[in-house]
Amino acid sequence: MPVLLNRLVDEAASRDPGAPAIRCDGDTLTYEQLARRANGLARVLLETGLSRGDRVAVWLGKGLDVPVSFYGALAAGATLVPIDPKSPVDQAVRIMRATGATHLISEPDRRAAVSRALADCPDVAQVIGLAGDEATPVPCVTWETVLEQASDRPPDVQVLDLDPAYILHTSGSTGLPKLILHTHYGAMSFVDWAASTYALRSDDRLTNHSSHHTCFATFDYYAAARAGATTVILTPAVLMMPGSLSAVLEREQVSVWYSVPAALVQLSLRGDLEARNLRALRWVLFAGETFPGKHLRRIRQQLPGARLSHVYGSTEVNVCTYFHLPETGDPVGPLPIGKACATTRTLVADAALHPVPDGEVGELFVRGSTVMAGYWGDPERNREVLVRRPAGGGLDEVYFRTGDRARVLADGNLAFVARADRQVKVRGHRVELEEVEAALLSLAAVEEAAVFTVPDGEGSSALRAAVVVGGDAPPAVRDMLADLRRSLPPYALPSDIAAVNALPRTPTGKVDVRALAGQLIEGKTRDGD
Amino acid sequence: MATDAHPTPETSEIEGRIVEFLHRELLEPGVTIGRDADLLSGEVIDSIGILRLATFVGEEFRIVIQPADFVVENFRSVAVIAGYVVRALAAHGPGDTRP
């Protein structure tokens, strides 16, 4: 492992300084420009009191400043904390407080939100990316000042492969999201595996489709830089308009794509793919949810030149298994999640970590170099999910408990069976149903709440909620949704809330979600009984 | 058959109906939106909201939105959408479902 994340762009710039590193809305940063800006930012961070390992929060919308911030923080030896750009202020505050971030990198458009957040983040001692004013209680350095510091020379900071690199976060919609710490070693293990498995080259053009706080961005940015390739950042406007998205793919000659299936389904249904020349596209990777067969078959016809690869793994392990679809013929039944990456060993086992026979369903455990170092600040949860298994000599091996149920198929591939708990995926975002229920229950009039998923017909899931409301003037659904927006990110909002007289219960008193779903989908609420 | 009952509306009326839909269905109470506000910033409505808006526009003005039309240039703002509706109606007339 000759190079770590902190030197990726310097390395690429020394090989080919004029090669395009980042493209966004027609703008370009070459590797030389990206490296110079990142080095300048690293200097500013170090000059404003940053010490190795300090957490640097990045709260930015998509744009060229994102990779500059990532590589600048890493070059300074910091632990990077990317925050979901759509986070409400409260969630950004929770993440910065929990990680003890000392520096915040943001942008002028977020001035009001940053000012409000800083009032509750006493550890943040420096803001970079916007000018200070009376409402901003800490020193600020603008992006213009950072650019004045641009430099060919990276700061002289020793970074070990075992040092923390970044902390990603899950949706964790109420309370604190899970904070997932990866080391340089873990990140580079994935990056090298991905660059090799998909034979990434300097003339490849990847996209950044997902938000940059997710593990998808690890591939989009770091694997691209490893190969000296280009990352095309896809902005929200383009992502909302499939016809524009496919036009960007054609114009930018995108060759490698990575997203949740739902994004590909949108592109396939509404992206006017027949009118585009997408012959440059050679790999399409998808992860996060199952891909409905009918959509998969259609998109293969629309993109005949592309190989498809189903990759599997949560943010805690990045990617741990993968399945390349055969070049001809459509697989029958659900797609397998494939075989373990070269970085990984998988184990389908019972709760005591004893392997179950092949073909039987067990919980999936994974061991490997891409597994997270642990959840930040949560030793109890770490003990639950990073489990030890005797390995001889009095030593243990550590396995990550995925919480997914799986089995080994006859051909050696793994098949995903179900989530062991009620964590679901909504358009690629992890949502804990219990947390949405908690948010509903925090509304004054709501007495009971239950949330479940229904297929949205396009390969993803939608959330439906049922509530029992009290009081004389029950709130309108619209008002409840408006209240929920204050505490939940958009993807965790139920698409509908039904008011019912009571929730069906199982004999043990738990909400009978299956019965509830049946009632609501068939329109048989008890209202009007 | 119902074409006569749906004369081509004026641009200002189209804008008004879209704004009314946005306020009724997609925006938080108290949020107002101007005809030129950027609907695609990701901050105003999300991608599902855009799909609902497009469905509304198709049904309300009786036009078929082709995949090729599903682009930023036609949906950036209320005024831009109204311009697109006017062009689509001029090309095919209301109620026409041909491509």
Side-chain angles (χ1 to χ4, degrees), chain A residues 31-324:
Chain A
Y31 271 101
E32 182 179 39
Q33 289 169 325
L34 176 56
R36 285 178 54 82
R37 290 185 189 191
N39 289 337
L41 173 58
R43 279 162 189 272
V44 170
L45 288 167
L46 293 166
E47 283 165 9
T48 54
L50 184 98
S51 299
R52 185 177 55 72
D54 284 351
R55 273 73 61 205
V56 172
V58 174
W59 196 16
L60 287 171
K62 280 183 162 181
L64 298 179
D65 293 340
V66 170
V68 172
S69 301
F70 282 16
Y71 289 112
L74 292 162
T79 303
L80 172 66
V81 184
I83 296 175
D84 182 351
K86 290 182 181 167
S87 280
V89 171
D90 289 354
Q91 193 188 50
V93 165
R94 286 194 288 265
I95 293 165
M96 288 193 278
R97 286 181 69 106
T99 57
T102 58
H103 290 63
L104 168 61
I105 302 175
S106 195
E107 58 196 338
D109 284 356
R110 285 173 200 266
R111 172 194 298 283
V114 166
S115 289
R116 274 192 289 149
L118 287 175
D120 293 320
C121 294
D123 291 336
V124 175
Q126 180 71 47
V127 173
I128 292 167
L130 50 88
D133 61 12
E134 318 79 63
T136 318
V138 301
C140 296
V141 172
T142 62
W143 278 111
E144 289 72 27
T145 306
V146 171
L147 292 183
E148 287 165 14
Q149 298 282 315
S151 166
D152 293 332
R153 282 192 307 116
D156 184 17
V157 177
Q158 187 200 32
V159 177
L160 304 183
D161 58 1
L162 295 174
D163 284 338
Y166 49 75
I167 297 171
L168 304 181
H169 66 86
T170 57
S171 74
S173 29
T174 61
L176 186 63
K178 288 176 185 155
L179 300 168
I180 296 161
L181 175 68
H182 282 276
T183 63
H184 282 265
Y185 177 67
M188 287 306 300
S189 294
F190 167 71
V191 163
D192 282 338
W193 172 81
S196 150
T197 300
Y198 300 100
L200 300 182
R201 307 180 303 241
S202 60
D203 61 348
D204 269 320
R205 292 188 162 224
L206 286 67
T207 59
N208 174 232
H209 175 281
S210 312
S211 172
H212 41 256
H213 75 288
T214 69
C215 62
F216 286 86
T218 311
F219 179 80
D220 302 341
Y221 285 113
Y222 306 133
R226 182 71 165 131
T230 307
T231 302
V232 180
I233 299 174
L234 302 171
T235 56
V238 165
L239 292 180
M240 284 196 205
M241 290 285 125
S244 297
L245 176 55
S246 66
V248 170
L249 298 184
E250 179 180 56
R251 190 168 63 241
E252 299 285 343
Q253 294 288 292
V254 164
S255 60
V256 182
W257 168 276
Y258 184 26
S259 76
V260 290
L264 285 163
V265 171
Q266 279 301 316
L267 200 54
S268 170
L269 289 174
R270 300 184 179 87
D272 202 19
L273 291 182
E274 288 72 14
R276 309 286 181 220
N277 175 353
L278 301 181
R279 278 198 293 271
L281 191 58
R282 62 187 191 87
W283 271 115
V284 172
L285 284 65
F286 55 91
E289 284 182 324
T290 51
F291 207 137
K294 62 174 180 178
H295 295 307
L296 192 59
R297 282 190 289 280
R298 189 181 54 249
I299 205 159
R300 290 187 81 175
Q301 287 162 7
Q302 291 169 319
L303 302 173
R307 291 288 311 270
L308 272 68
S309 189
H310 180 202
V311 299
Y312 161 84
S314 64
T315 309
E316 287 89 341
V317 299
N318 220 322
V319 169
C320 57
T321 72
Y322 69 112
F323 177 77
H324 294 340

Side-chain angles (χ1 to χ4, degrees), chain A residues 85-86 110 236-244 266 269-272 276 427 458 478-479 482 485-486 490, chain B residues 23-29 39-43 45-48 50-51 67-73 75-76:
Chain A
K86 290 182 181 167
R110 285 173 200 266
V238 165
L239 292 180
M240 284 196 205
M241 290 285 125
S244 297
Q266 279 301 316
L269 289 174
R270 300 184 179 87
D272 202 19
R276 309 286 181 220
R427 286 177 276 137
E458 294 183 355
R478 179 177 179 222
D479 294 335
R485 281 199 188 91
R486 286 191 244 287
Chain B
H23 285 139
R24 188 177 70 235
E25 298 286 337
L26 296 178
L27 299 177
E28 289 184 48
L39 296 177
L40 303 179
S41 65
E43 312 284 328
I45 47 182
D46 66 7
S47 54
I48 299 298
I50 278 288
L51 288 178
D69 295 340
F70 216 53
V71 292
V72 174
E73 293 74 18
F75 281 86
R76 175 68 85 178

Side-chain angles (χ1 to χ4, degrees), chain A residues 440-448 467-476 480 483:
Chain A
L440 277 163
L441 286 166
S442 74
L443 306 181
V446 173
E447 293 179 350
E448 295 177 52
V467 292
V468 179
V469 291
D472 297 324
M480 286 193 275
D483 284 339

